[in-house]
Amino acid sequence: MSTTIVGLALSAAVVAAAVVAGGDSEYVSDAVNNDRYVVGAVGESSDGSAPAGGADKPQDKYFRADAALCNATAGLDEVELFHVAGACPDGALDVTISAAGCEPGAVELADLWVQRVQADGSYAEPEMVSAADCVTPADVAAEARRAFEALQIDPPVASVQGREPLLVNVHYPARAETGPLEESVTLLGVPVTIRAEPVEFTWDFDDPHSAGGGTLTTTDPGRAWRDGDATPDDSWVGHRYTSLGDPAQDAGTDVDAEGDRYRDDVTVTLTTTWQGSFSLAGSATWTPIAGAVTTTTTLDPVTVTEARVRLVCDDVENSSTC
């Protein structure tokens, strides 16, 4: 990461004091040694640890701002270096110091400055800590992973389509209503977008008695059956209960007054796996985040029962068949 000063060569570099407007604290990074600083913070040390003397004691202020050259007499020996472009006295020439252009996919940060606390509690004139940096996705990858893991991801709404009680030997479609989530954060002084995308869905249909077990893992969130669709079959994301177990030996399996087996409190759960990625401000490139997080959706309990064929009287066009 290199910085180029354009326009003027310095024979003297005098750092002029200036007041930095307040704002929320945020972490930035010196790309030379990867130290952390707190921008505009009072009551924290430059490495983020608890300050000596208590939280009420003023601490060094770190901030980022573009530097500028001020030349009041047009002579290079009179050049002064100010910490903010546009801070030159009236009538002085203001020439911004610019960094060499960053590579595609990187973000340029302004120069890093510090105002150190003096013995009397006042702040010294700003001094430059490091020149402008080009920050790449690799520089913020670790912070992006922590931000992704801390991201609040709500479990998707999930459902099994069917009127209760569910019947054995019927394939019931299941679906998850979800999509990618994005959140804007600031990492090491750089605006970053964190994206969480659902990539895998594992259904547990609470079915220990059917052949093949009651779990299904898929990358398809599923879809609902609608009028006009073909009858849902095993190609749909969903499940078919084929056995309810033996009431004499399987806990949870019972027999109703008509002799039909049933299971109540059948609870379906969905575990969704989310993959993360991030993009630096102004970049169209998404960088994958190592690892993944999961969420769990628990559906309301249902009853599954057998369907028994029974003969009934019917009256069709005044013709009774009994």
Side-chain angles (χ1 to χ4, degrees), residues 147-174:
F148 170 60
E149 292 173 346
L151 189 64
Q152 178 63 46
I153 302 177
D154 293 329
V157 176
S159 60
V160 174
Q161 187 180 16
R163 182 178 300 174
E164 193 178 356
L166 303 185
L167 303 177
V168 296
N169 295 319
V170 175
H171 188 84
Y172 290 101

Side-chain angles (χ1 to χ4, degrees), residues 270-322:
L270 168 65
T271 300
T272 304
T273 300
W274 302 79
Q275 181 64 63
S277 58
F278 69 94
S279 177
L280 303 185
S283 173
T285 301
W286 289 91
T287 301
I289 296 175
V293 299
T294 61
T295 58
T296 300
T297 306
T298 302
L299 280 63
D300 292 335
V302 296
T303 297
V304 182
T305 187
E306 294 176 325
R308 175 176 294 186
V309 177
R310 295 178 176 86
L311 295 178
V312 297
C313 292
D314 193 9
D315 192 342
V316 180
E317 295 182 353
N318 298 321
S319 176
S320 178
T321 57
C322 294

Side-chain angles (χ1 to χ4, degrees), residues 91-126:
L93 179 65
D94 185 341
V95 180
T96 299
I97 299 177
S98 63
C102 297
E103 298 179 355
V107 172
E108 182 180 328
L109 294 183
D111 308 313
L112 180 64
W113 299 79
V114 63
Q115 281 185 283
R116 302 193 185 280
V117 179
Q118 303 185 95
D120 62 359
S122 63
Y123 285 97
E125 296 180 347

Side-chain angles (χ1 to χ4, degrees), residues 73-89:
T73 64
L76 290 182
D77 58 343
E78 299 293 333
V79 170
E80 292 182 338
L81 176 63
F82 281 71
H83 81 283
V84 176
C88 295

Side-chain angles (χ1 to χ4, degrees), residues 28-51:
V28 298
S29 175
D30 174 8
V32 176
N33 54 27
N34 291 322
D35 287 342
R36 287 188 180 181
Y37 304 94
V38 180
V39 179
V42 175
E44 286 192 63
S45 61
S46 61
D47 63 0
S49 61

Side-chain angles (χ1 to χ4, degrees), residues 129-162:
V129 177
S130 65
D133 301 326
C134 290
V135 178
T136 68
D139 295 325
V140 301
E143 295 293 333
R145 180 175 182 178
R146 281 188 279 270
F148 170 60
E149 292 173 346
L151 189 64
Q152 178 63 46
I153 302 177
D154 293 329
V157 176
S159 60
V160 174
Q161 187 180 16

